[in-house]
Amino acid sequence: MIFDLLIVGGGINGCAIARDAAGRGLSVRLVEQQDLASGTSSASTKLIHGGLRYLELYEFRLVHEALAERELLLAAAPHIIWPLKFVLPHEKGLRPVWMLRLGLFLYDHLARRKRLEGSHMVSLKGNALGAPLRDSYNVGFTYADCWVEDSRLVVMNALDAKERGATISVGARLTQARRENGRWLATLEDGTQLEARALVNAAGPWVSQVIEDALHVPARKHVRLVKGSHLVTRKLYDGPHAYILQNPDGRIVFAIPYEQDFTLIGTTDVPYAGAPGVVGISEVETEYLLDSINHFLRTPVTRDDIVWSYAGLRPLYDDGALNASVVTRDYAFDLDAPDGLAPALSIFGGKITTARRLAEHALDDLAPFLPPHGASWTAEGVFPGGEASFEEVVAKLESEKPFLGPALIHRLARAYGARAERFLKQAHAIEDLGRDFGGGLTEAELSYLIENEWARKADDVLWRRSKLGLHMSAEEQRALRDYMDAPSPRNAGRGLG
Ligand SMILES: Cc1cc2nc3c(=O)[nH]c(=O)nc-3n(C[C@H](O)[C@H](O)[C@H](O)COP(=O)(O)OP(=O)(O)OC[C@H]3O[C@@H](n4cnc5c(N)ncnc54)[C@H](O)[C@@H]3O)c2cc1C
């Protein structure tokens, strides 16, 4: 079979392009070398946001596009995306009040907004929003952005793509590709050969490596890797709101309620010169994030409060900026199609927030090389599970499956939305869901993840399809690993869908 589109990389950008293209009637094959979202797309701050700070960098195009995406994505995936209120304390000696007001005015008005609240100035004294902060913070501002379960959004893109006809392969690394007879002939690590009319290089931090080592096409643009790390601590304050904290170095750090019992703190901007791969937080970054949070919070946060950390590499388009914090966060394409030959489109940068729009732009650029196909459709499309609101799913589960209990209903409604019933349908008692692996993970849910969401290893389940890694004991996690690694018919043939 000759595919219209071969996509390299199962992060947010690759999966968003696969979804869009499949929905337009194109034949699509996506290859991901490891697990979906195993690269940067599970290591973000998990915000669908315009990026208040990018206004200072005059990134108006990006901020406008990102702001407009917030409400659209909120409607399309109400299970994994929800509004999040931010509190921005005013810090004497840093950005003056007029500047914050101006920035938030632009933020409020750069794109249309229906559901998300606009910004307000608030007194932090005698206000629950100011309670965890030191006494020196008298006033602040509030505004709204959205939270997103980043790795689940990637998987929901892949699932939608699959249901529209795409083939998604995990554990499938592209090693070489060359043009032959006006098409791309690609070879995967296991020797599989694939033919495609057009190739999309959405390899994120590996984008330049794929250009140079696999495609052997001229590299006109380059990636700039900037590491960003997060700490997860015990819950540091009550309330569903997040803080956006201004650091004396001009950067900002977020503190966000996380997974009910925790607080997420991040991030950093550290230039990264090594080869792309798994990265971790450094001592210096840990110190930096603790210093930042302790500058604001009344009760000191120490290393003993840290329960987990993660880090990722931003695959930014190298615009030549001197400082890692000011490299453009906007995306850029490099289209290689000499003399109208089969095109290779390489993608640099991009946000979780803007992946849907990035996909539309990518398909616009590739359209002349592809067979006739449908128009853009994703602005109206709903993600799998987003067919009902979170509240509707919770109410249905409460009435039909009360044996699950409030905590599990909440988790399943958030993770799967209306799709939860696919593996709950037959159950009339908790025992009907099979073995309990801990944290509320049952055999029925696990089988659903293996059969429908490309989960192959325990880490896929613990850290990307869910964050159960934070809620299951070491022993429970070991037992899950043993179960998933055991040879069985259940585990055969995983990875293709
Ligand atoms: C610290 C941090 C915080 C962030 N916060 C936010 C935020 O709050 N909101 C937001 O919108 N954005 C945020 N971002 C940006 C966003 O996370 C990234 O821009 C986005 O995830 C990049 O997605 P991608 O698909 O390009 O790359 P990736 O997610 O890395 O995907 C690329 C994939 O390609 C695969 N691959 C590579 N080579 C091959 C090959 N040869 N064959 C097959 N597969 C291959 C990799 O395994 C990988 O899975 C943040 C980024 C960082 C680092």
Side-chain angles (χ1 to χ4, degrees):
M1 164 167 190
I2 300 163
F3 291 96
D4 293 328
L5 214 55
L6 171 63
I7 301 170
V8 183
I12 192 69
N13 288 330
C15 291
I17 295 170
R19 173 183 184 238
D20 192 340
R24 293 182 196 224
L26 293 165
S27 61
V28 176
R29 178 77 179 250
L30 181 146
V31 293
E32 162 53 47
Q33 62 183 355
Q34 292 191 350
D35 181 29
L36 297 172
S38 56
T40 311
S41 297
S42 55
S44 81
T45 310
K46 308 175 202 312
L47 301 178
I48 297 291
H49 64 157
L52 189 54
R53 199 181 67 85
Y54 308 150
L55 288 173
E56 287 181 335
L57 307 176
Y58 307 111
E59 300 243 31
F60 295 113
R61 194 211 74 81
L62 171 66
V63 177
H64 167 71
E65 184 170 292
L67 284 172
E69 281 302 281
R70 296 180 308 179
E71 297 226 357
L72 195 146
L73 292 171
L74 192 55
H79 48 329
I80 50 170
I81 298 177
W82 59 88
L84 183 59
K85 180 180 197 151
F86 284 83
V87 179
L88 166 57
H90 171 247
E91 170 94 38
K92 290 189 191 97
L94 293 180
R95 295 167 185 90
V97 166
W98 69 262
M99 189 188 275
L100 297 176
R101 263 189 208 280
L102 177 63
L104 286 164
F105 176 83
L106 288 172
Y107 211 70
D108 283 344
H109 292 94
L110 270 174
R112 274 206 313 151
R113 194 167 38 77
K114 279 202 303 226
R115 286 185 55 192
L116 291 172
E117 242 188 74
S119 63
H120 300 283
M121 193 165 182
V122 289
S123 164
L124 296 174
K125 291 282 166 215
N127 182 337
L129 298 178
L133 302 176
R134 288 174 187 256
D135 282 337
S136 52
Y137 298 103
N138 296 322
V139 293
F141 295 85
T142 61
Y143 69 96
D145 267 326
C146 294
W147 173 264
V148 60
E149 299 291 347
D150 54 3
S151 49
R152 288 207 60 74
L153 183 62
V154 174
V155 176
M156 290 310 103
N157 271 283
L159 188 55
D160 206 8
K162 176 183 159 184
E163 290 175 359
R164 293 171 191 275
T167 306
I168 311 285
S169 309
V170 293
R173 192 168 88 87
L174 175 98
T175 50
Q176 288 297 319
R178 63 171 198 277
R179 290 185 176 104
E180 206 174 274
N181 302 327
R183 305 202 173 107
W184 279 101
L185 183 63
T187 308
L188 306 185
E189 201 164 35
D190 67 359
T192 304
Q193 296 220 309
L194 300 169
E195 260 189 282
R197 293 190 171 82
L199 187 146
V200 172
N201 171 9
W206 292 262
V207 58
S208 292
Q209 206 177 75
V210 168
I211 292 177
E212 284 155 30
D213 300 345
L215 308 185
H216 308 287
V217 297
R220 283 169 293 250
K221 292 191 168 79
H222 298 275
V223 74
R224 170 119 170 228
L225 299 180
V226 176
K227 184 165 74 137
S229 300
H230 292 84
L231 292 175
V232 176
T233 64
R234 65 170 174 83
K235 186 176 178 172
L236 299 178
Y237 60 89
D238 291 323
H241 56 280
Y243 290 95
I244 170 167
L245 306 169
Q246 305 180 69
N247 258 20
D249 63 3
R251 295 189 66 260
I252 48 141
V253 167
F254 293 104
I256 307 173
Y258 191 50
E259 287 285 311
Q260 284 82 48
D261 306 326
F262 307 99
T263 302
L264 179 65
I265 304 167
T267 176
T268 55
D269 274 313
V270 182
Y272 182 84
V278 178
V279 287
I281 192 167
S282 68
E283 278 297 305
V284 176
E285 288 172 281
T286 302
E287 219 36 63
Y288 174 89
L289 291 175
L290 286 177
D291 283 353
S292 301
I293 197 84
N294 282 325
H295 183 79
F296 290 89
L297 293 194
R298 195 181 283 281
T299 311
V301 186
T302 70
R303 281 170 187 264
D304 290 342
D305 297 315
I306 301 172
V307 293
W308 188 52
S309 66
Y310 63 86
L313 295 172
R314 297 177 182 86
L316 303 180
Y317 163 53
D318 191 357
D319 62 357
L322 293 178
N323 181 336
S325 294
V326 303
V327 181
T328 181
R329 263 45 176 178
D330 210 345
Y331 49 84
F333 294 159
D334 187 356
L335 180 67
D336 184 79
D339 304 324
L341 285 178
L345 182 76
S346 295
I347 290 162
F348 297 82
K351 311 268 302 165
I352 302 280
T353 308
T354 50
R356 192 197 64 81
R357 290 288 284 136
L358 180 148
E360 287 183 335
H361 289 145
L363 287 163
D364 286 349
D365 285 9
L366 289 171
F369 305 92
L370 295 169
H373 54 273
S376 66
W377 61 275
T378 55
E380 280 84 44
V382 168
F383 286 95
E387 301 84 1
S389 74
F390 169 70
E391 292 74 19
E392 284 164 348
V393 175
V394 169
K396 192 156 187 269
L397 291 178
E398 278 173 349
S399 95
E400 293 175 7
K401 312 281 172 194
F403 59 84
L404 294 171
L408 188 53
I409 287 179
H410 184 275
R411 183 175 73 73
L412 297 180
R414 273 283 169 237
Y416 305 99
R419 291 279 166 117
E421 66 178 34
R422 296 214 173 176
F423 59 87
L424 295 173
K425 227 176 7 225
Q426 312 294 343
H428 304 290
I430 196 79
E431 298 75 36
D432 296 341
L433 297 172
R435 177 171 167 186
D436 183 352
F437 290 91
L441 177 68
T442 60
E443 214 169 334
E445 181 181 357
L446 186 59
S447 301
Y448 176 84
L449 289 174
I450 293 170
E451 284 158 25
N452 299 280
E453 293 197 6
W454 298 274
R456 297 172 301 155
K457 305 270 180 204
D459 280 350
D460 304 347
V461 174
L462 293 169
W463 299 110
R464 287 182 286 276
R465 303 305 178 279
S466 77
K467 288 293 178 288
L468 283 166
L470 286 169
H471 304 282
M472 285 167 65
S473 68
E475 204 174 310
E476 288 168 336
Q477 296 189 28
R478 219 176 0 257
L480 178 67
R481 267 176 232 292
D482 291 345
Y483 179 86
M484 292 197 73
D485 289 345
S488 82
R490 175 192 70 233
N491 297 350
R494 285 185 200 167
L496 200 69

